[in-house]
Amino acid sequence: MKTSTTLELSQFAEDVLNGLSSTPKTLSSRYFYDDEGTRLFQQIMQLPEYYLTRAELKIFAEQKEAIGEAFTSGADAIDLVELGAGDGTKTAVLIDHLLKKSVDLTYSPIDISQEANDVLSQRFRSQFPDLRINPHTGDYFKVLGSLKNSNGRRKVLLFLGSNIGNFLQERALDFFGQLRSMMNAEDRLFVGFDMQKDPRVIVAAYDDAQGVTAEFNLNLLRRINRELGGDFDTSKFSHYAQYRPAECAARSFLISREKQTVSINALNSTFDFEQWEAIFMEISQKYTHPMIEEFAEKSGFEIEKEFFDAENFYLDSLWRPSQNRER
Ligand code: AVJ
């Protein structure tokens, strides 16, 4: 029965169908970022509890000299390639610095959203009239594959914001391994990791007092209503965030406050919720230093240099392909 309908469904519809048919029910955080979700995430980044963005921006602002040196050491020219740039605030700090140092530089943001790329490119074109910008819209790996050929310039891949935290451990390892396979020996990978810290600080970041994170999660139910003809009543769900310190994992759930049935037209389906049943929405993994070392090693990298903030809340880690392990 499922097969004939599934073929005609969008990836989003298919993933929602599979997720809400699973036990426990789950929805993927990769679908948070429609226009409304992107707007809510911008708001999250301004929240007093959401320390991640500020910590990383501080690292960039205070250590741009050392970061710039590490990026350019042993290379005459560099191509910054950013995976999922967002609004580019952090990257702008670094670009500004590198241009002032007269580094031979290009900037290639890669994003699945054409819209996001257009906005960012326009902003950077007016901010940095001399910067060569080559935006690419599409899947990270497809685009990286097309950029693979060495042009004698060092590619520095940027994967910031602890975006890696949304991947389960195994997928994160696989992701780094795939990046590795697309890199030349002189290329570098610069990754942002949110570190393990006081559990109370972490849980507050995902359960803010103003309820913006709750709205960010509930927006995915609204998105299903908008795009797939769902009839979720968001007042019947509440956001619940927890942090498990032994796993270093923050998780978000939407909890059905009552027994209810939700129908989704585009899926030709209804879904029953028990009272207090959870939908697992998002994992935001935190890291210990040994975890990061293990990731680097297992995916074929060596850690070249590390940039922490003063509180050790956050780490931007520069990796180079390890030479004893051709993949
Ligand atoms: C963009 C994946 C880094 O997990 O901290 C923020 C997304 N979710 N608040 C994170 C998010 C809830 C964010 N990342």
Side-chain angles (χ1 to χ4, degrees):
M1 193 58 223
K2 212 173 125 186
T3 44
S4 64
T5 36
T6 308
L7 281 176
E8 296 151 36
L9 294 179
S10 65
Q11 188 66 49
F12 177 45
E14 199 180 310
D15 289 348
V16 169
L17 177 60
N18 288 331
L20 293 181
S21 308
S22 309
T23 313
K25 289 183 174 66
T26 176
L27 289 170
S28 171
S29 59
R30 55 187 281 233
Y31 295 115
F32 282 176
Y33 304 89
D34 64 351
D35 288 347
E36 181 63 8
T38 301
R39 202 183 59 74
L40 286 163
F41 184 59
Q42 301 282 344
Q43 243 174 286
I44 286 175
M45 291 192 290
Q46 309 289 331
L47 290 170
E49 295 95 337
Y50 196 75
Y51 58 85
L52 287 81
T53 314
R54 275 185 301 276
E56 190 167 45
L57 184 57
K58 224 164 167 232
I59 292 172
F60 274 59
E62 291 173 4
Q63 302 181 61
K64 57 186 183 234
E65 192 81 37
I67 296 171
E69 259 166 44
F71 281 12
T72 52
S73 127
D76 296 328
I78 67 176
D79 295 333
L80 283 183
V81 179
E82 181 154 25
L83 310 176
D87 67 2
T89 306
K90 291 160 275 193
T91 316
V93 172
L94 206 62
I95 289 175
D96 182 60
H97 173 75
L98 293 170
L99 290 176
K100 282 179 179 145
K101 294 255 157 184
S102 306
V103 172
D104 180 353
L105 182 72
T106 75
Y107 178 61
S108 300
I110 306 180
D111 207 290
I112 31 160
S113 158
Q114 174 79 49
E115 164 94 28
N117 260 337
D118 289 348
V119 171
L120 181 71
S121 302
Q122 214 165 344
R123 193 179 144 193
F124 275 25
R125 274 194 193 102
S126 61
Q127 197 175 349
F128 307 113
D130 298 334
L131 180 65
R132 278 166 289 162
I133 307 176
N134 308 304
H136 299 276
T137 301
D139 175 82
Y140 294 160
F141 295 112
K142 282 187 192 135
V143 174
L144 283 172
S146 74
L147 300 178
K148 191 178 176 184
N149 284 345
S150 180
N151 54 7
R153 304 170 62 90
R154 165 178 291 166
K155 279 197 295 297
V156 180
L157 309 185
L158 306 176
F159 194 55
L160 306 176
S162 202
N163 285 334
I164 192 67
N166 278 170
F167 293 177
L168 296 172
Q169 306 284 58
E170 211 175 304
R171 230 190 110 213
L173 192 62
D174 185 67
F175 178 79
F176 288 134
Q178 281 198 65
L179 290 183
R180 168 68 187 88
S181 73
M182 308 213 152
M183 290 167 66
N184 301 305
E186 72 276 11
D187 294 342
R188 298 292 182 265
L189 173 61
F190 198 52
V191 195
F193 292 100
D194 189 24
M195 303 301 285
Q196 182 173 43
K197 59 184 63 60
D198 185 338
R200 295 167 194 87
V201 171
I202 295 173
V203 85
Y206 296 93
D207 193 15
D208 64 280
Q210 295 170 51
V212 181
T213 310
E215 287 308 310
F216 182 58
N217 279 264
L218 289 167
N219 176 59
L220 182 44
L221 304 187
R222 294 195 192 99
R223 180 177 183 181
I224 292 170
N225 290 349
R226 288 190 290 265
E227 294 182 23
L228 303 177
D231 68 351
F232 278 105
D233 175 351
T234 52
S235 72
K236 294 183 179 164
F237 288 85
S238 58
H239 171 249
Y240 176 72
Q242 50 134 250
Y243 178 66
R244 289 197 188 179
E247 299 166 21
C248 306
R251 289 186 178 82
S252 289
F253 303 87
L254 289 175
I255 307 291
S256 176
R257 305 189 52 81
E258 55 188 71
K259 186 176 168 71
Q260 57 182 313
T261 299
V262 171
S263 85
I264 303 179
N265 282 335
L267 306 181
N268 256 312
S269 303
T270 61
F271 302 92
D272 297 325
F273 290 80
E274 291 303 322
Q275 188 178 29
W276 307 124
E277 184 174 348
I279 313 174
F280 169 48
M281 302 295 287
E282 183 179 42
I283 182 163
S284 297
Q285 183 70 45
K286 309 304 163 196
Y287 303 89
T288 63
H289 198 260
M291 284 164 72
I292 293 167
E293 285 177 318
E294 189 180 325
F295 268 137
E297 213 225 276
K298 284 194 174 163
S299 52
F301 290 96
E302 281 164 15
I303 298 175
E304 183 165 281
K305 205 149 201 287
E306 301 184 311
F307 304 89
F308 286 93
D309 65 324
E311 293 176 297
N312 288 338
F313 267 22
Y314 198 93
L315 167 65
D316 283 300
S317 191
L318 183 65
W319 295 2
R320 62 159 172 262
S322 47
Q323 288 315 299
N324 49 6
R325 187 147 173 273
E326 271 311 306
R327 311 178 111 238

